[in-house]
Amino acid sequence: MFHLIWLVPLLPLIGFAVLTFTQGRLIRPAVAWVGAGSVGLSAAVALWIGANFILHPPAGHAYTLTVWHWISVAGFRPTVGFYLDNLAVIMMLVVTFVGFLIHLYSTEYMAEDSGYSRFFAYMNLFVASMLTLVLADNLLLLYLGWEGVGLCSYLLVGFWYRDPANGEAARKAFVVTRVGDVALTIGLLLLYTHLGTLHIQPLMHRAAEQWPVGSSLATAAAFLVLGGAVGKSAQLPLQTWLPDAMAGPTPVSALIHAATMVTAGVYLIARTHVLFALAPDAQLAVAAVGAATLLLAGFSALTQRDIKRVLAYSTISQIGYMFLALGVGAWAAAIFHLMIHAFFKALLFLASGVVIHALDDEHDIFKMGGLRRELPSAFWPFLLGGMALSAVPFISAGFYSKDLIILDAWSSSAGSPWLWAAAWIGALMTSLYTFRLIFIAFFGEAKTRVRKRPGVRMMVPLVTLSVLSVIGGCLELPAYMGNAPLFTNFLHTVLPSVHALAASRTETVLELLSGVASLGGIYLAYLLFLRYPEWLRGFARQPWGAALHRFWAGDWAMDWLYDRVLVRPYHWFARVNRSDAIDSVYRGLAVVSEAIHGGLSDTQTGVMRWYALTMVVGSVIVLSISVFL
């Protein structure tokens, strides 16, 4: 059955092709069946393959399928081939299953949009590209999927392109992520030049054999791979594109933030973990980037008014947790949080879509209120998703994944008290900004009337993801709850175990402090945003308080900095260099072409005697050349 793995990315790709070549001529129910159905079939095939892989694993716990040889030039022979191991199985199931739920939701959410067929064509291509990325057996094919999700993010963020702001957001996402893509491209060239292959498994084996720990080549390659991961996963300093990506439809936000694009960087680092093990400086940089990002994004989320931008900054922060885990060598913990995050973040975005849909496209949380009673179909899923995001102890899946990362940040041999402190403060901030959103939008007095209610196709994904956001943590139970690390054990054939220091009573204290961060943040949010909101109003009236609010709301002035350091100088140089030497060459070619055209035009007089004379002279010249030369 493993030989059918090629169907998993192919089915969404077929859906994309059908919707593209019919050019919107299909009726909407047919579009829904093709768009959502192709991803549903892909999810069914993935589930069947995944179940067989878990129950009857292949020899060596890995399976490689070569479809065809793509290129063959001077010994360079990358293939279109797929590699299935425990890590790929998890990623495949997450992408297809969560992707299908988002597609099903979209069939109702986008039902009245004029670009219905175009939307599903882009979404299908997005899923096909992500599946190509996670299943590729070589880095060149992975890079094809990598660029595919980048293209689709541009198309989907700017889906409502008639609004110039949406087009600008799409261009920003495309350009900023290209910075990381250039770094990754250089990294692939370096790896092939020195190791002679881009097939992932042989590449990692050769790197471990030929490069010693701390090697300058391994360090350079790891930092270049990190550059690519930072761009796609919206980590410092390339995180500025993700909040603006909220310009796209809500299902797009769910797909980008939960199951596809932003997790690509985490997957890439995990897949190439051997490089980072050989480059301790690069691995430390991964942890530092994650710790800094989760804190900065958490403070920015506290100041947002747009419900989707709050969730966007929460995504940046949660990806930061995954980077922190990767950086301290807790590889399995990072992937576990990736999976759980896909469940609850998709749930939160889809629930926010119900709110936006019900309130006639209202995004401002301060214009909502009272939705706990007015719109319970959105409140309860949002509450469960918010509890998972906040890692509420024992009753949310997010508790088990995030608690594992916070503990490893301390106990890992690559961890430190500083990294633990960043993770702990981030957990407190997460609860604070999550329940700020919940208390403002769903409690208090209603400010906007509910005009629409979600139907079955929107509710089924919400209910399914709600259940997963509660029970998903059962796959990794800590020692004090039965010691059943099923998820970590499943990944041990692919990713090394965390090098933890000796267990001690400190772990119990750390676990209690994690619970304090979660519940304390919720209680603080209750005091500041529900019980005594005048406290914050007084703070905001202070000049320094208002300035701090603007600073955090503006993404710590990162856009301002990039605009003045990069964008404006580039525009100035383009204006100054408008008439450069290169342009003179092309203008010269144009002048010569015009002159030749004019000369030839002058010969077209319409006089027959002139044409006859020309033919005679030409014949004489040709004959003379033939005879004398």
Side-chain angles (χ1 to χ4, degrees), residues 455-544:
V456 173
R457 286 175 292 167
M458 291 174 68
M459 288 306 302
V460 167
L462 291 179
V463 172
T464 305
L465 291 168
S466 295
V467 173
L468 292 173
S469 297
V470 174
I471 68 171
C474 296
L475 293 175
E476 187 74 18
L477 296 178
Y480 60 88
M481 293 186 64
N483 193 25
L486 302 178
F487 193 89
T488 300
N489 290 342
F490 181 70
L491 283 177
H492 84 279
T493 59
V494 182
L495 301 173
S497 301
V498 61
H499 295 288
L501 302 176
S504 66
R505 295 179 182 177
T506 307
E507 289 189 5
T508 304
V509 176
L510 296 176
E511 289 160 355
L512 289 174
L513 287 175
S514 295
V516 169
S518 173
L519 299 177
I522 295 172
Y523 182 64
L524 187 59
Y526 166 75
L527 293 178
L528 293 176
F529 302 107
L530 199 60
R531 183 70 174 173
Y532 303 111
E534 62 274 10
W535 292 356
L536 282 180
R537 285 195 287 268
F539 172 79
R541 284 193 289 267
Q542 301 296 325
W544 63 273

Side-chain angles (χ1 to χ4, degrees), residues 390-455:
S390 302
V392 173
F394 308 123
I395 59 174
S396 71
F399 164 73
Y400 299 94
S401 59
K402 188 183 291 186
D403 187 65
L404 185 60
I405 292 175
I406 296 174
L407 181 62
D408 286 338
W410 177 283
S411 62
S412 168
S413 59
S416 74
W418 291 107
L419 294 175
W420 174 86
W424 189 86
I425 295 171
L428 178 69
M429 296 301 298
T430 300
S431 294
L432 182 59
Y433 69 67
T434 300
F435 277 83
R436 165 189 178 263
L437 190 161
I438 291 173
F439 289 142
I440 292 173
F442 292 94
F443 287 75
E445 296 182 1
K447 300 180 181 67
T448 304
R449 187 167 64 88
V450 172
R451 293 179 173 84
K452 299 176 185 176
R453 306 283 177 179

Side-chain angles (χ1 to χ4, degrees), residues 216-493:
S216 59
L217 287 174
T219 301
F223 269 108
L224 289 168
V225 170
L226 173 60
V230 161
K232 276 291 187 289
S233 292
Q235 298 293 283
L236 281 171
L238 300 179
Q239 85 288 0
T240 57
W241 67 270
L242 194 58
D244 289 350
M246 297 303 97
T250 299
V252 172
S253 304
L255 194 62
I256 291 177
H257 288 248
T260 57
M261 186 166 167
V262 295
T263 62
V266 178
Y267 169 77
L268 178 64
I269 294 177
R271 180 55 80 190
T272 58
H273 66 273
V274 172
L275 289 179
F276 290 89
L278 296 172
D281 290 343
Q283 189 167 350
L284 177 61
V286 174
V289 165
T293 304
L294 71 90
L295 288 175
L296 267 65
F299 283 103
S300 291
L302 266 177
T303 60
Q304 304 302 313
R305 299 178 64 96
D306 187 316
I307 186 171
K308 288 173 62 178
R309 287 182 73 90
V310 176
L311 297 178
Y313 278 108
S314 82
T315 296
I316 298 174
S317 182
Q318 296 308 301
I319 299 293
Y321 272 103
M322 298 173 207
F323 269 64
L324 174 58
L326 295 170
V328 300
W331 310 100
I335 301 302
F336 185 47
H337 194 53
L338 183 155
M339 182 184 74
I340 299 300
H341 176 262
F343 298 152
F344 68 71
K345 187 52 60 67
L347 174 62
L348 286 168
F349 268 110
L350 297 185
S352 72
V354 172
V355 173
I356 294 168
H357 198 251
L359 302 183
D360 281 348
D361 205 36
E362 180 59 68
H363 288 237
D364 191 336
I365 59 175
F366 289 95
K367 296 180 181 179
M368 297 176 184
L371 294 176
R372 175 170 58 94
R373 297 180 301 274
E374 298 294 325
L375 199 62
S377 56
F379 169 69
W380 290 108
F382 206 101
L383 178 63
L384 292 173
M387 291 168 64
L389 174 58
S390 302
V392 173
F394 308 123
I395 59 174
S396 71
F399 164 73
Y400 299 94
S401 59
K402 188 183 291 186
D403 187 65
L404 185 60
I405 292 175
I406 296 174
L407 181 62
D408 286 338
W410 177 283
S411 62
S412 168
S413 59
S416 74
W418 291 107
L419 294 175
W420 174 86
W424 189 86
I425 295 171
L428 178 69
M429 296 301 298
T430 300
S431 294
L432 182 59
Y433 69 67
T434 300
F435 277 83
R436 165 189 178 263
L437 190 161
I438 291 173
F439 289 142
I440 292 173
F442 292 94
F443 287 75
E445 296 182 1
K447 300 180 181 67
T448 304
R449 187 167 64 88
V450 172
R451 293 179 173 84
K452 299 176 185 176
R453 306 283 177 179
V456 173
R457 286 175 292 167
M458 291 174 68
M459 288 306 302
V460 167
L462 291 179
V463 172
T464 305
L465 291 168
S466 295
V467 173
L468 292 173
S469 297
V470 174
I471 68 171
C474 296
L475 293 175
E476 187 74 18
L477 296 178
Y480 60 88
M481 293 186 64
N483 193 25
L486 302 178
F487 193 89
T488 300
N489 290 342
F490 181 70
L491 283 177
H492 84 279
T493 59

Side-chain angles (χ1 to χ4, degrees), residues 70-110:
W70 186 0
I71 303 170
S72 181
V73 179
F76 179 54
R77 299 190 67 197
T79 61
V80 173
F82 302 107
Y83 181 77
L84 194 66
D85 63 2
N86 300 53
L87 176 58
V89 166
I90 290 170
M91 295 299 298
M92 175 182 67
L93 292 174
V94 169
V95 172
T96 56
F97 185 70
V98 177
F100 169 65
L101 292 178
I102 294 171
H103 274 71
L104 177 61
Y105 176 98
S106 302
T107 60
E108 181 179 339
Y109 186 87
M110 299 294 292

